[in-house]
Amino acid sequence: MQVKEQLLTLKPYQPGKPIEEVKKEFNLDKIVKLASNENPYGCSPKVKDAIVEEMNHLAIYPDGYSALLRTKLASHLQVEEEQIIFGNGSDEVIQIICRALLSPDTNTVMATPTFSQYKHNAVIEGTEIREVPLVNGDHDLDAMLSQIDEKTAVVWVCSPNNPTGTYVKENALFDFLKNVPEHVLVVLDEAYYEYVVAEDYPETTPLLKDYTNIIILRTFSKAYGLASLRVGYGIANADLIRKIEPARGPFNTSRIGQAAAIAAIDDQEFVKACSEKNQRGLKQFYQFCKELNLDYYKSEGNFILIDFKRDSDEVFHALLKKGYIVRSGNALGFPTHLRITVGSEQENSEIIEVLKEFIS
């Protein structure tokens, strides 16, 4: 059998090392995972109650249309129900977009480094990939515009960007959208939307009234703390959603995931509290970087990218031996950096002390 030639050059997505593996490898009892940008405070208590109730219905297929979740989310976002598409995490919505719009006859434009799944799925579809380097961690929107032509199908804008945590400012995004041709879909990936505090971060859902060529991606995996249940979504013009829906697999979100997401939406106080704690955690890392004169990117996400001025794998393995799992920048396009998820106040303090010992 012969698979697509482009698959032979790809590697599966490499997540952060699992806790169980690190425990076994280094004979450790305590592991702190700060690698996958998960919420250290878990999820709302309301979610746990909803999951317990849903356990009585495990033999029944989920609603393929996610009707109850769709109604709840549309009301929360103040959009029409037909403007939403659900995915097994926002990763699957990325896959759906690529499956629906990309082919060997098209090209796609993205920043680099950015979230790896844009390029990964584009490679599978055989499209031409045009990457535009970040400038000081930011999307170079002017350079991205210059790469667009009549064959461009999709442009990706990750804001806050993973792995830098930087964001596209409101005026810059509005100017960009005005200049993108109507035949090009602009994907605004806002996986970390609930963590953002910047005053000039754009509110993008109102743009859907004026632009039929944008889709906004968000997720319940980050601030809502439902990473294991895999519920993400896209918001766009209803006609666009209708056209790409056939690329979505049947029953792609579970009954438990849908019930949990509904309950999570009902506890915005929990989400707000997590965001506030995240800001305090980021300040712990900013202070650490200032004390040790380390460069970093100011983040609007729940993670921070720090330059340790040495091979990131060296620092990564030193932390691993102490029971701290982070992401080496070698896999992210930043070979001297680490991406560290903001944990609880205690977890942040502990890893900072370990890093201080290592550096000294």
Side-chain angles (χ1 to χ4, degrees), residues 161-229:
N161 186 46
N162 182 3
T164 57
T166 54
Y167 69 102
V168 175
K169 295 177 175 59
E170 183 177 73
N171 289 339
L173 179 64
F174 292 174
D175 289 344
F176 176 73
L177 292 175
K178 289 175 184 176
N179 289 285
V180 174
E182 291 183 0
H183 75 274
V184 178
L185 177 65
V186 180
V187 181
L188 303 176
D189 190 343
E190 300 179 348
Y192 300 92
Y193 171 80
E194 289 82 7
Y195 284 114
V196 175
V197 297
E199 292 183 0
D200 57 350
Y201 184 85
E203 281 296 339
T204 50
T205 51
L207 296 173
L208 296 171
K209 297 177 181 178
D210 299 317
Y211 293 94
T212 59
N213 64 329
I214 64 174
I215 184 168
I216 304 158
L217 306 187
R218 294 181 187 169
T219 183
F220 288 93
S221 295
K222 303 305 179 183
Y224 285 101
L226 303 183
S228 69
L229 298 181

Side-chain angles (χ1 to χ4, degrees), residues 25 64 114 152 161 183 219 239 255 258-259 262 303 309 332:
E25 182 177 354
T114 191
T152 304
N161 186 46
H183 75 274
T219 183
D239 184 57
R255 292 187 66 97
Q258 291 176 28
I262 290 169
F303 58 89
K309 298 293 193 297
L332 304 172

Side-chain angles (χ1 to χ4, degrees), residues 4 22 49 58 127 182 188 227 295 298 321:
K4 288 182 177 179
V22 177
D49 294 338
L58 296 185
T127 195
E182 291 183 0
L188 303 176
D295 294 329
K298 190 174 185 300
K321 291 177 182 178

